[in-house]
Amino acid sequence: MYPSKQGLVKREPYGPAGFRGLLTNPYVALCAAFATIGGLLFGYDQGVISVTLVMDQFLTRFPRVSAEASGAGFWKGLMTAMLELGALIGALFAGWLADKLSRKYSIVVAVGVFTVGSILQTAAVEYAMLTVGRLIGGMGIGALATIAPLYISEIAPPEIRGALLVLQELSIVFGIVIAFWITYGTRFMAGEWSWRLPFLIQMIPGLILGVGIIFLPFSPRWLSSKGRDHEALIVLGKLRKLPTDDARVYQEWCEIRAEVAFSQEVSREKHPNLQEPTRMNGIRLEVQSWLDCFRHGCWRRTVVGVGIMFLQQFVGINALIYYAPSLFETLGQGYEMQLLLSGIINCTQLLGVATSLWTMDRFGRRPLLLTGAGIMFICHLIIAVLVGKFGGRWSDYPIEGWVAVAFLFFYMFSFGATWGPVPWAMPSEIFPSSLRAKGVALSTCSNWFNNFIIGLITPPLVQNTGFGAYTFFAVFCLLAFFFTYFFVPETAGKSLEEMDRVFQDVSSEMEEQQKARIMRDIVEGKRDTDTPTP
């Protein structure tokens, strides 16, 4: 039964929500899982540095970051953080690439850049070469981390979009775990291949992604934005494993076209002098579209996207991932136990992320963020008290040291279950189609920029302040709770085209009437391009 010409009725769901829905949408789940190889590369490049920084073979080649070197904390932080700086640059260009080349072909470009960076890291013979390699590799990682969730959100049915986007975070953490245990094993190798081999291995999944993504379907929303509506309908039917004349497919297709048409009309109204197809107008319109993310109809979404990515970093997660052995050392653990606990704690995060496959669509994004922020605040606060009271005397208070370790594990599980997946999921679902690539890019840039800062400040913060580092992160956990409570709406179960109502930022009656008119014209067949209305 098609929607009536008076408007679209509420669409029937494609199947059950959450994890169960993945089983009824296997093709979409497979496409999304393959796209998240980009997340695996991101996690791998983060995790590979943890054990590498304490390998004797690595420190012999790069003595500048050894504990005995002057300013070692700064140089270690700079080398680690260059990955994030590169990722920030890559994320800035990812939005333009994703709109220009398509979501899937921009992934191919990003993989190429990442491979160049991996080659430089593998072949590095001096500190500068390794640092530049991490910068270039980071550019590819930043683009992949922006485009992969964007692609997933645009191919996913609303009922399982959260579960599919969790795959991105699951893949990131899985990459961290793989990298850690590979380097944990290769550290027993006598020569420099102990650290070169892990850098070499990361190229394998990158090449698999770069070749395989070509065979995946285009995003139907990207196709519609380019006026390729007939292809969009065919792809949508293929993704949903339903005929194109199914009422649910047809309605979703109409909603996609209406959203695209509305965004284009708004662009013409806002920028009437930039519609002539000249190169200069194209550049100026590109700049204006970035600025539109901060204007009426989008600025609240930008605040949410940028804000949750900022807070995801400042609650302390990557400080723990990058420098886990050093943190466990401050809690009184020996060298071998530092490494072993660092590997186990990453597995704990992976277990936490796995739970969100079920909880994100069942309970929603907002409850997870609120609960996670509260638990992480308590964990950091307790650790800060224990470090402040017993720091430097752990041999006399071994039980208290293990209590602090236990709360670090509890923190890691809580992050994995809440603030790990949700900030990666929300930006790719809250922005309108015309600004989605740029909105996701801005949000991801926030992640990388703040990730860069965390990578830079954590070594001296832990070295010079002791319990102050945990207090610092506890304060931001508390800020994360209040930010979520006052600014973050619930998006679970809503289609990408329903976010105007969720954010209530298309407030004028004229704009609402404009959207209703566009939808009515599409349903009545007045806006057909190359596809006859079924």
Side-chain angles (χ1 to χ4, degrees):
M1 186 71 181
Y2 291 134
S4 69
K5 292 187 177 183
Q6 281 70 44
L8 289 175
V9 296
K10 182 175 176 60
R11 181 182 54 77
E12 290 295 320
Y14 287 108
F19 184 73
R20 284 178 56 215
L22 298 181
L23 303 178
T24 59
N25 293 270
Y27 183 66
V28 171
L30 184 63
C31 292
F34 193 84
T36 58
I37 293 177
L40 185 143
L41 296 175
F42 165 29
Y44 189 99
D45 231 8
Q46 283 188 307
V48 78
I49 204 67
S50 179
V51 178
T52 302
L53 285 173
V54 295
M55 283 187 190
D56 290 336
Q57 304 94 317
F58 179 82
L59 297 175
T60 300
R61 168 60 68 176
F62 306 106
R64 183 176 290 185
V65 299
S66 63
E68 297 78 20
S70 176
F74 171 78
W75 295 114
K76 182 191 296 185
L78 180 64
M79 185 192 70
T80 304
M82 286 305 283
L83 178 76
E84 281 67 50
L85 182 61
L88 172 64
I89 298 170
L92 280 172
F93 285 97
W96 177 80
L97 274 177
D99 283 339
K100 188 75 173 177
L101 300 180
S102 80
R103 295 5 180 177
K104 71 174 192 175
Y105 287 140
S106 56
I107 289 176
V108 177
V109 174
V111 167
V113 175
F114 169 77
T115 303
V116 172
S118 298
I119 292 171
L120 288 174
Q121 291 177 74
T122 304
V125 294
E126 59 180 4
Y127 177 87
M129 184 176 178
L130 179 63
T131 304
V132 170
R134 287 185 64 77
L135 176 70
I136 295 174
M139 291 169 65
I141 288 292
L144 288 170
T146 301
I147 300 163
L150 174 66
Y151 177 76
I152 293 168
S153 71
E154 293 190 343
I155 66 173
E159 297 82 17
I160 62 169
R161 189 176 61 246
L164 288 176
L165 287 168
V166 167
L167 292 178
Q168 173 75 359
E169 176 65 13
L170 192 66
S171 185
I172 291 172
V173 180
F174 188 55
I176 293 170
V177 171
I178 290 174
F180 180 88
W181 289 111
I182 285 177
T183 50
Y184 185 84
T186 61
R187 71 193 176 96
F188 295 107
M189 298 172 65
E192 292 189 348
W193 279 106
S194 58
W195 57 268
R196 293 190 192 275
L197 184 60
F199 285 129
L200 178 67
I201 289 174
Q202 68 185 343
M203 285 186 262
I204 298 173
L207 294 174
I208 293 173
L209 173 63
V211 174
I213 195 72
I214 297 173
F215 300 98
L216 267 59
F218 286 101
S219 158
R221 287 168 173 83
W222 179 82
L223 287 170
S224 189
S225 72
K226 300 301 180 184
R228 296 159 63 176
D229 290 327
H230 179 61
E231 290 180 67
L233 178 59
I234 293 173
V235 169
L236 195 60
K238 183 179 181 182
L239 288 167
R240 303 295 178 258
K241 287 296 181 183
L242 292 168
T244 55
D245 58 357
D246 182 271
R248 292 167 294 179
V249 173
Y250 174 70
Q251 181 164 339
E252 186 177 4
W253 180 60
C254 287
E255 290 172 349
I256 291 170
R257 293 170 61 201
E259 173 69 19
V260 169
F262 174 73
S263 299
Q264 290 171 346
E265 285 195 10
V266 169
S267 176
R268 285 193 291 269
E269 291 168 4
K270 287 182 177 178
H271 315 296
N273 299 324
L274 302 178
Q275 301 306 313
E276 287 293 326
T278 65
R279 181 179 296 273
M280 185 53 66
N281 278 352
I283 295 172
R284 293 171 62 191
L285 195 59
E286 179 73 15
V287 172
Q288 289 299 324
S289 64
W290 282 97
L291 295 176
D292 284 343
C293 291
F294 300 93
R295 291 173 176 148
H296 169 71
C298 200
W299 70 268
R300 292 180 183 174
R301 309 177 199 217
T302 303
V303 168
V304 170
V306 171
I308 59 176
M309 282 297 201
F310 164 80
L311 290 165
Q312 188 197 51
Q313 293 307 308
F314 274 82
V315 297
I317 182 60
N318 278 326
L320 193 53
I321 291 173
Y322 294 148
Y323 307 110
S326 301
L327 290 175
F328 283 121
E329 183 180 12
T330 67
L331 299 180
Q333 302 302 320
Y335 177 73
E336 288 297 326
M337 186 58 70
Q338 292 167 28
L339 296 182
L340 186 61
L341 289 175
S342 298
I344 297 173
I345 204 169
N346 286 327
C347 295
T348 305
Q349 185 188 3
L350 183 65
L351 182 63
V353 175
T355 66
S356 62
L357 283 169
W358 176 68
T359 58
M360 187 180 290
D361 284 315
R362 183 175 179 84
F363 298 112
R365 285 60 159 158
R366 184 177 156 88
L368 291 185
L369 291 176
L370 290 170
T371 303
I375 293 175
M376 291 188 297
F377 168 74
I378 293 171
C379 290
H380 276 309
L381 192 62
I382 291 174
I383 295 170
V385 171
L386 290 172
V387 172
K389 191 172 182 180
F390 303 108
R393 297 180 296 145
W394 295 113
S395 58
D396 299 327
Y397 300 95
I399 295 177
E400 286 80 358
W402 281 107
V403 170
V405 169
F407 273 99
L408 267 184
F409 273 78
F410 191 35
Y411 161 85
M412 187 64 102
F413 178 86
S414 302
F415 177 89
T418 58
W419 277 85
V422 176
W424 282 108
M426 287 196 74
S428 56
E429 63 185 4
I430 61 178
F431 289 95
S433 61
S434 62
L435 298 175
R436 189 169 296 128
K438 293 177 177 61
V440 173
L442 283 172
S443 303
T444 310
C445 284
S446 170
N447 181 289
W448 292 118
F449 179 71
N450 293 294
N451 203 333
F452 172 75
I453 294 174
I454 290 297
L456 204 58
I457 69 172
T458 296
L461 187 66
V462 172
Q463 184 177 348
N464 299 327
T465 67
F467 74 92
Y470 301 100
T471 306
F472 176 82
F473 294 130
V475 169
F476 279 98
C477 289
L478 194 61
L479 289 175
F481 180 90
F482 287 111
F483 179 82
T484 302
Y485 186 83
F486 288 109
F487 295 105
V488 180
E490 185 55 71
T491 60
K494 306 294 183 182
S495 74
L496 299 183
E497 289 69 41
E498 291 177 320
M499 293 302 164
D500 289 346
R501 288 194 293 275
V502 171
F503 280 87
Q504 299 179 342
D505 52 5
V506 180
S507 55
S508 73
E509 184 178 349
M510 184 177 298
E511 286 177 326
E512 292 289 354
Q513 290 175 352
Q514 185 181 9
K515 291 197 78 170
R517 171 180 54 78
I518 292 170
M519 182 63 77
R520 187 167 55 250
D521 288 348
I522 287 174
V523 173
E524 293 176 354
K526 297 178 180 179
R527 285 179 175 260
D528 283 344
T529 51
D530 56 354
T531 308
T533 302

